Amino acid sequence: MARFVEVETAAPLIPPRPTLPLLRSLAAGCRACDLYKRGTQTVFGEGAGSARAMMVGEQPGDAEDRLGRPFVGPAGKLLDRALAEAGIDRRAVYVTNVVKHFKWKPRGKRRIHEKPNAREIAACRPWLEAELSLVKPRVLVCLGATAAQALLGRDFKVTRHRGELLRSDLAPYVLATVHPSSLLRAPDEETRRRETLRFVQDLSRIAPLLRDAPQDHAPGP
Ligand code: SF4
């Protein structure tokens, strides 16, 4: 049963001995920022607790909000194809977002993505930190500027460090690249093809880091 508590950040909701299923259940009742009023449901991370890679995006999109699962919409399907092309077993990847509710504004009958603000990102950060502390990924991949700046600092520029393998306290390796949704917004087919290829090349850099040790492919909680 979800608990409903008004708090400044989600930190008070993190239990002393968290597990991924427990966090998911508690996050379902989170009201640490106003986004719970707009989204259909909390979209918590998904994947094996033993995943060697964690991929972090900005926030769930329209399809994710309706289904309650991360990266299941068009951008998620593109990510799945890119992972396969990069030789990465999707089961070795835990996917989540910096912010776990869909922030949107209406435009006609459509729900248009709206970027989360610093207050919302800070409020939601304890969930992400708890996921990181449990999964302990070998490689952390920031998908897009919002994720990269939330995790690596506000001055971090994806354009400058895209595809580089960086060292961090967050994980032995950190890599920042674009969010797959940016590829869907490419102005023409040629740009999309070229940028998708570059995205696959970025992901290919982490593939050897996920292969060189046994991986537990137990299904995620
Ligand atoms: S976006 Fe995050 S902090 Fe805000 S209500 Fe949802 S789960 Fe809680």
Side-chain angles (χ1 to χ4, degrees), residues 19-199:
T19 62
L20 289 172
L22 180 56
L23 289 174
R24 180 177 293 110
S25 153
L26 293 170
C30 182
R31 293 184 172 191
C33 76
D34 283 347
L35 293 185
Y36 80 91
K37 296 175 184 168
R38 242 187 274 189
T40 305
Q41 57 194 313
T42 307
V43 180
F44 203 70
E46 199 172 271
S50 57
R52 301 200 92 207
M54 180 184 281
M55 305 213 164
V56 184
E58 181 190 90
Q59 62 163 329
D62 184 80
E64 286 82 4
D65 174 69
R66 293 179 199 280
L67 293 169
R69 297 180 58 205
F71 288 94
V72 291
K77 289 186 170 55
L78 201 160
L79 175 64
D80 287 351
R81 288 197 299 276
L83 286 169
E85 284 182 38
I88 296 170
D89 185 340
R90 179 68 176 74
R91 293 169 300 175
V93 178
Y94 183 96
V95 289
T96 191
N97 286 294
V98 166
V99 165
K100 296 187 172 21
H101 270 97
F102 179 35
K103 184 175 182 180
W104 58 277
K105 58 186 173 192
R107 187 179 296 162
K109 289 185 177 170
R110 295 179 61 208
R111 302 192 301 170
I112 304 298
H113 160 274
E114 207 176 352
K115 195 175 156 69
N117 61 34
R119 156 84 181 89
E120 292 150 355
I121 290 170
C124 213
R125 191 180 172 95
W127 295 121
L128 181 58
E129 288 177 350
E131 288 174 295
L132 262 171
S133 70
L134 286 170
V135 178
K136 294 186 180 64
R138 187 169 195 214
V139 187
L140 175 65
V141 179
C142 303
L143 298 169
T146 301
Q149 289 174 356
L151 286 163
L152 304 173
R154 290 174 67 177
D155 296 333
F156 186 89
K157 297 261 186 293
V158 175
T159 44
R160 189 176 306 158
H161 298 288
R162 177 177 177 174
E164 293 177 12
L165 278 176
L166 308 166
R167 294 284 184 171
S168 164
D169 293 342
L170 300 168
Y173 299 94
V174 176
L175 181 135
T177 183
V178 295
H179 193 284
S181 63
S182 70
L183 307 172
L184 299 172
R185 295 194 299 270
D188 54 68
E189 196 49 45
E190 170 56 23
T191 308
R192 181 186 296 191
R193 193 196 62 75
R194 190 180 61 241
E195 286 302 310
T196 302
L197 184 62
R198 218 179 140 201
F199 184 57

